[in-house]
Structures are given as C-alpha cells and as structure tokens.
Amino acid sequence: MLPDMAGTDPAPVTLVVGDEELLAERAVSGVVAAARSADPEIEVHDLVGSKVTTGELSQLTSPSLFGDRSVVVIRGAQDLGKDVIAEIVAYAKEPSEDTVMVLAHPGGAKGKALVDGVKKAGAKVVTVSKLTKAGERLEFIKGEFKRAGRSISGDAAQALLDAVGNDLRELAAACSQMMFDTEDKTINAAAVARYHKGRAEVTGFNVADSAVEGRLAEALEQLRWALGTGVAPVLLVSALAGGLRSLAKVASAPRNLRGGQLASHVGMPPWKVDRVRRQLNGWGPEGLARAIQAVAHADEQVKGGGADPAYALEHTVQVIVACRNGR
C-alpha cells in the first residue's frame, strides 16, 4: 500500500516506479497534495516525458526572484530523451529548495538510466507494483474503506472482489459507490450481497451488460431507471467504459491462453472471463474501437461538456449497440 503523505513535507525529488496505474497516479497526487498543504499557492507543472525538451527543466527549476515554489511532475518518464535524463540526474544530485520534482516511471528497461541515476542521487523511491495476488487485492479493498474512516469484514471484501473482479479502478469505484450508498460503519457480506443483487442496475453494471450484448430496449430502460434513482451519470459512463475495456482485454489476449492462464493475463476472475467471451460474440475490432470512442465522448459530455447528460448517455448506449456486429 502507499505511504500516507498527509501532513509531511515532500522530498525534493520523488521517483514513483511501477506499472499499477491507479496506485502510481495516487502516489504522484499524494506528493502534489503534500506540497500544496505546505504552500497552497505553489505552482504545479504537469509534463509528459516524450514532450520534455532539453533545457526546459532548468527553466522550471530555476530559483524565483519572488521566492515562488513549484512542483514539476513528469509522467511517462521512460520516454525522456537521453539529454533530458542527464539533466534530471544532475539536478537530483543538487535539487532546488524551491522545487518539488515527481517522476513517474512504469519500470522495465526503457529509461532505466533515469531510474538508476536518480536513485543513486538520493531521490525518494515509491514502488507501486501490480497487485497479482488475491490477498493483495483484498488488502486494497480494506484500505479503501479505511481511508474513508469505514471498514469491511474479510468475507465481505472477498464477496466484493468476486463480484467486481481484479481491476483496481473498478474495485475502487465499487468501494466508493458502496460507501456512498450504505450507512453502516462496517460493511458485512450480507450488505455486499444485497447491494449487488438489488442494486445492480443502479451501479450501472446491468446497463453495460445489456448494451454490449445488443439489448437496446433493456439497456435504455435500465439506464433511465438508474438515472431516476439518482445515480451520477459519471458512474454510468464508468460502467460502460469498464464493460468495453473488458471486451478489449479478452479480445486482444493471446489466443493460446485458456482457463486460469487467460484469467490471470487479463486480470479477471474465471467466471467473468467466461461471461466476457460470450459477450464478445458479434463484436469486431472496428466496432469496439468506435464504441470506446463514443464512451470517451460521453465522458466529456457528462463532466460539463454537454447540456444534457441523460441524452448523452442514451445516445451512447444506442451507439454501442449499433457498433455491435460492425454496424
């Protein structure tokens, strides 16, 4: 699990290493939040490794005449050029007192010179490896509730993992939704069972299943019911996106994988893999790509880009169903 950085001064240079995207994002956000806690007026520069040019770092980390402090975040640090890596390693040896630097690297051989260089220079290292064991994912679920001042029993955490699957983003969303919709201080297995049996439509999972399986009338009816009971449109978009991501993961997996190997490769329990494989019937690469683009557009619409989130969601469901069978 990630260290709690609240109330602590961030290190001058922090290296976040690992390919678990959700945990890496949280680690970076934690450093930025700690810097803002120390100085609410601090300026944040959020950069992408492939676009950082030689000399840019020097400009961003140069001492300010007015004593202004800044945070420099570089995501995708594996894509930094050799000259830029040399600049960063040199900077890490003598970092500025007015700047906090955060580097996010997924691990692996690409850009290893950066990882080795800043480690040797004394940067703080936060490792966020993928959670490959069921026990690790159960601890993640318990940690989500603990972060919110709540708790979940061991059997309830297992039930939630069985219901949602191994994807950390989906697990985090499910935990958040359960906490929003339930008042119990401690969540038990009965609460999880009631929630996923009685509120499946509300969470959006049934809407997504109906849409990807081509059942338009049923999907629209469930969508309207969910919206009518107060479900946030952004959660419904997330469910649709999750359903399509599952299709894409299974469709792109090596064809020689079967059973447990396939489930491990795509990060889903076997029962979910079986369901997704059935749902893939009728889907082709082009239709799936168009459907994913439609959901991405809907995400923008429900987050303020459109005037009517309900219309945007209904239109997206119609597009998803039309994309099945390549239409």
Side-chain angles (χ1 to χ4, degrees):
M1 294 298 104
L2 296 175
D4 185 358
M5 299 179 186
T8 63
D9 291 331
V13 180
T14 299
L15 173 67
V16 178
V17 183
D19 56 355
E20 188 60 78
E21 291 184 3
L22 176 64
L23 297 184
E25 288 176 9
R26 286 184 175 180
V28 171
S29 297
V31 176
V32 175
R36 280 183 167 149
S37 178
D39 181 1
E41 301 300 321
I42 200 167
E43 185 175 7
V44 179
H45 305 280
D46 206 322
L47 311 175
V48 178
S50 60
K51 296 183 179 180
V52 178
T53 58
T54 305
E56 186 174 0
L57 177 66
S58 297
Q59 295 176 359
L60 294 175
T61 59
S62 296
S64 168
L65 293 175
F66 304 101
D68 296 333
R69 305 190 71 232
S70 64
V71 179
V72 177
V73 178
I74 301 180
R75 304 178 192 272
Q78 74 278 7
D79 296 324
L80 290 165
K82 291 183 179 179
D83 292 341
V84 179
I85 288 177
E87 281 188 79
I88 292 175
V89 171
Y91 171 82
K93 295 177 181 178
E94 296 184 27
S96 167
E97 294 182 357
D98 297 324
T99 301
V100 173
M101 176 177 287
V102 193
L103 305 163
H105 189 291
K110 189 176 182 182
K112 192 171 183 296
L114 172 76
V115 174
D116 293 342
V118 296
K119 280 184 177 180
K120 189 174 181 180
K124 178 179 179 179
V125 179
V126 178
T127 302
V128 289
S129 301
K130 277 193 176 297
L131 306 187
T132 58
K133 299 178 181 178
E136 293 173 334
R137 289 187 284 271
L138 289 173
E139 287 303 311
F140 172 80
I141 292 172
K142 293 176 183 178
E144 290 296 285
F145 284 87
K146 185 176 181 181
R147 279 156 48 100
R150 307 274 288 277
S151 62
I152 183 170
S153 65
D155 56 348
Q158 183 65 60
L160 191 60
L161 180 62
D162 292 340
V164 178
N166 295 338
D167 186 274
L168 286 199
R169 290 186 186 278
E170 293 182 14
L171 283 173
C175 291
S176 177
Q177 188 66 27
M178 276 212 71
M179 286 185 278
F180 180 80
D181 287 338
T182 59
E183 297 180 354
D184 297 338
K185 182 74 173 179
T186 299
I187 304 298
N188 57 28
V192 174
R194 285 196 306 271
Y195 185 81
H196 281 280
K197 290 178 181 177
R199 298 291 300 275
E201 297 91 348
V202 172
T203 65
F205 296 135
N206 280 12
V207 179
D209 285 342
S210 297
V212 300
E213 291 168 13
R215 292 178 278 128
L216 179 59
E218 186 175 332
L220 289 175
E221 180 181 356
Q222 291 168 344
L223 172 64
R224 290 162 186 158
W225 185 86
L227 289 170
T229 58
V231 179
V234 66
L235 294 177
L236 291 164
V237 171
S238 178
L240 292 171
L244 292 170
R245 277 200 308 270
S246 295
L247 293 180
K249 284 181 181 179
V250 175
S252 62
R255 294 184 178 276
N256 62 328
L257 296 183
R258 293 290 185 275
Q261 287 184 323
L262 177 58
S264 177
H265 179 80
V266 298
M268 302 176 193
W271 65 263
K272 186 172 182 179
V273 172
D274 291 340
R275 187 182 71 191
V276 172
R277 291 178 72 176
R278 290 193 297 270
Q279 290 176 334
L280 270 170
N281 183 38
W283 281 97
E286 293 183 3
L288 188 54
R290 289 197 302 272
I292 291 172
Q293 290 175 351
V295 172
H297 180 66
D299 189 58
E300 295 178 2
Q301 295 289 299
V302 302
K303 290 179 179 176
D308 190 341
Y311 171 79
L313 279 164
E314 289 195 8
H315 176 70
T316 302
V317 167
Q318 292 170 339
V319 171
I320 291 172
V321 173
C323 287
R324 192 169 178 268
N325 294 317
R327 296 195 301 275

